[in-house]
Amino acid sequence: MTAHRQPALFATDPELAALVSAEETLQAETLRLIPSENYVSAAVLEASGTVLQNKYSEGYPGRRYYEGQQNIDRVEALAIERAKGLFGVDHANVQPYSGSPANLAVYLAFAKPGDTVMGMALPMGGHLTHGWGVSATGSWFRGVQYGVSADTGLVDYDAVRALALAERPKIIFCGGTALPRTIDFEAFASIAEEAGSVLVADVAHIAGLIAGGAHPSPAGHVDVISTTTHKTLRGPRGAMLMCREEHAKAIDKAVFPGLQGGPHNQTTAGIAVALHEAAQPSFVSYAHAVVANAKALAAALLERGFDLVSGGTDNHLILIDLTGKDVPGKVAAKALDRAGIVVNYNTVPFDPRKPFDPSGIRIGTPSLTSRGLTVAHMPVVADWISRAVDAAAKADEAALAAIRSEVADLMAAFPAPGLPL
Ligand code: DSN
């Protein structure tokens, strides 16, 4: 690891270059289990750092407010065509800056302030922008929220239907940030149709699994698909909105000029590359390996006495309820971090604790799968998590340091995409 990987940066601003190098080392040496993170390829990284960022391009390909778009138009058109092909949709907008602005654009397209909107409650696994109170979407709109059943940890579709029919929301969001189970897009579509609502699938977490055929696709069932591009899809930090042709104008108008100014062209280029990579047969294998690893890790954690929300996983994500281990989520997450295992603390459904000090941790397998770890490694990973949580309970720093060194040894044998060897 040397700062000379970015020689111009190193020469101009060694202080900043040193921080970038330190981050490269951290990402290389640790076991990154945050389910919304990944490693982009060197090609995505290069595309995202190009001179494309020198251009202003307000508007859309062929309809810009600035000249000199000969190349930019083609970059954006390429990203759009690749998104449409990969996800089987009529229309794609690749300009949203990230997931929250993408979802805000959906509100702008289909609702007026004060309208009722419906989504999964944040502490149940939803997202802030699905109408949760502390978000603008929950204060400018009237958010009504569904959750999971206390017995099973699964979405109760009868309860969702009853709420939708009682409230008749303008928009229904399905999807979220801590959902370990398959989303039944057909069930949501029939509910939205009965309630007369626009149905939005926020597939930010599972977009890569959908692209690789490891999770059913919402295409054809929902009005709009919202996704970030940097999670399982392994692109740069950005987002896309995809929809049926009938909604194309409303979505485009909401993104620009409704919400945003010039698109981040360098990000659009990175998205185009990531979509190209996701269309390769190797990405199908990757998506299925992510799920196989998550299932194997869940099984290994259950064997070690962990309590998993919904009893396991169907996708890339595992939500661990640590109540029975007598270690709060935040204490466990910070101890795991000291052990070289990076997770985030997270509420669990019906959590009696506060979001900033909740009962659970959230983990996932997109990053470790990108490094080539397989189901054979998952018992080792589960062991490390188990030992680190026990060490957290006893404040045993020596045990955490020992795990950190074992983690670094294994990670050294599995170089991360996009990082120096
Ligand atoms: N912050 C993302 C996540 O970690 O799931 C959601 O926006």
Side-chain angles (χ1 to χ4, degrees):
M1 252 50 66
T2 143
H4 300 288
R5 195 164 121 86
Q6 294 94 16
L9 178 61
F10 185 63
T12 304
D13 189 343
E15 187 180 3
L16 194 281
L19 291 172
V20 174
S21 286
E23 179 61 21
E24 286 174 350
T25 304
L26 191 66
Q27 291 192 15
E29 290 182 353
T30 52
L31 178 63
R32 300 171 64 233
L33 292 182
I34 293 177
S36 47
E37 293 183 347
N38 213 328
Y39 295 96
V40 296
S41 69
V44 168
L45 210 49
E46 283 179 10
S48 311
T50 57
V51 296
L52 299 182
Q53 73 173 322
N54 296 341
K55 272 306 290 171
Y56 249 119
S57 309
E58 289 179 7
Y60 290 100
R63 293 177 289 126
R64 306 281 191 188
Y65 290 81
Y66 294 76
E67 295 311 314
Q69 308 294 342
Q70 294 84 344
N71 304 307
I72 301 295
D73 272 4
R74 290 174 66 186
V75 168
E76 188 169 335
L78 204 52
I80 290 169
E81 286 314 309
R82 288 176 179 174
K84 284 162 63 175
L86 188 64
F87 289 96
V89 293
D90 297 339
H91 181 75
N93 185 310
V94 297
Q95 294 193 4
Y97 298 145
S98 200
S100 297
N103 285 347
L104 269 182
V106 171
Y107 288 86
L108 189 58
F110 299 110
K112 294 264 178 286
D115 280 349
T116 300
V117 297
M118 183 169 146
M120 183 177 240
L122 181 67
M124 293 282 178
H127 189 254
L128 279 166
T129 57
H130 297 182
W132 189 244
V134 297
S135 145
T137 63
S139 51
W140 294 344
F141 301 90
R142 181 178 161 267
V144 294
Q145 311 265 275
Y146 58 88
V148 295
S149 132
D151 303 336
T152 61
L154 303 174
V155 172
D156 175 347
Y157 289 93
D158 291 333
V160 175
R161 172 173 273 107
L163 184 64
L165 293 182
E167 298 286 354
R168 305 273 170 187
K170 272 274 162 58
I171 303 173
I172 297 176
F173 277 89
C174 57
T177 62
L179 306 179
R181 295 296 181 178
T182 301
I183 301 166
D184 187 341
F185 296 118
E186 285 184 57
F188 271 106
S190 104
I191 292 167
E193 190 179 3
E194 263 186 81
S197 312
V198 171
L199 180 60
V200 183
D202 184 340
V203 301
H205 264 258
I206 54 173
L209 306 185
I210 292 167
H215 187 289
S217 172
H221 300 300
V222 308
D223 294 287
V224 180
I225 301 171
S226 171
T227 186
T228 52
T229 45
H230 47 268
K231 298 185 173 91
T232 48
L233 193 55
R234 272 202 318 210
R237 301 193 77 89
M240 306 191 292
L241 287 170
M242 299 175 278
C243 61
R244 299 180 173 143
E245 193 53 47
E246 63 184 290
H247 300 312
K249 270 203 181 126
I251 287 292
D252 282 356
K253 213 173 126 201
V255 173
F256 174 84
L259 262 185
Q260 298 188 172
H264 294 176
N265 297 314
Q266 74 284 3
T267 301
T268 308
I271 291 173
V273 175
L275 292 168
H276 174 68
E277 291 176 347
Q280 307 309 312
S282 58
F283 199 85
V284 173
S285 309
Y286 167 70
H288 284 87
V290 167
V291 175
N293 279 341
K295 284 178 184 288
L297 181 54
L301 288 166
L302 287 169
E303 276 172 22
R304 286 157 183 78
F306 282 94
D307 180 10
L308 308 185
V309 171
S310 83
T313 183
D314 297 328
N315 54 31
H316 64 302
L317 183 149
I318 298 165
L319 191 54
I320 305 178
D321 184 345
L322 291 170
T323 307
K325 297 274 184 189
D326 266 344
V327 183
K330 195 172 187 173
V331 172
K334 289 192 176 299
L336 282 157
D337 196 47
R338 295 200 292 284
I341 299 171
V342 188
V343 308
N344 69 276
Y345 53 89
N346 216 94
T347 48
V348 296
F350 308 101
D351 203 328
R353 303 176 68 94
K354 296 262 185 286
F356 202 56
D357 185 17
S359 299
I361 55 173
R362 187 185 69 149
I363 64 174
T365 52
S367 297
L368 65 78
T369 308
S370 289
R371 295 184 75 152
L373 269 66
T374 68
V375 292
H377 299 104
M378 294 308 112
V380 177
V381 173
D383 245 4
W384 284 334
I385 294 172
S386 181
R387 283 165 52 199
V389 169
D390 288 348
K394 296 185 223 142
D396 184 347
E397 292 302 319
L400 296 176
I403 298 167
R404 188 175 190 103
S405 141
E406 291 171 38
V407 168
D409 281 350
L410 183 70
M411 291 300 105
F414 291 89
L419 292 186
L421 292 176

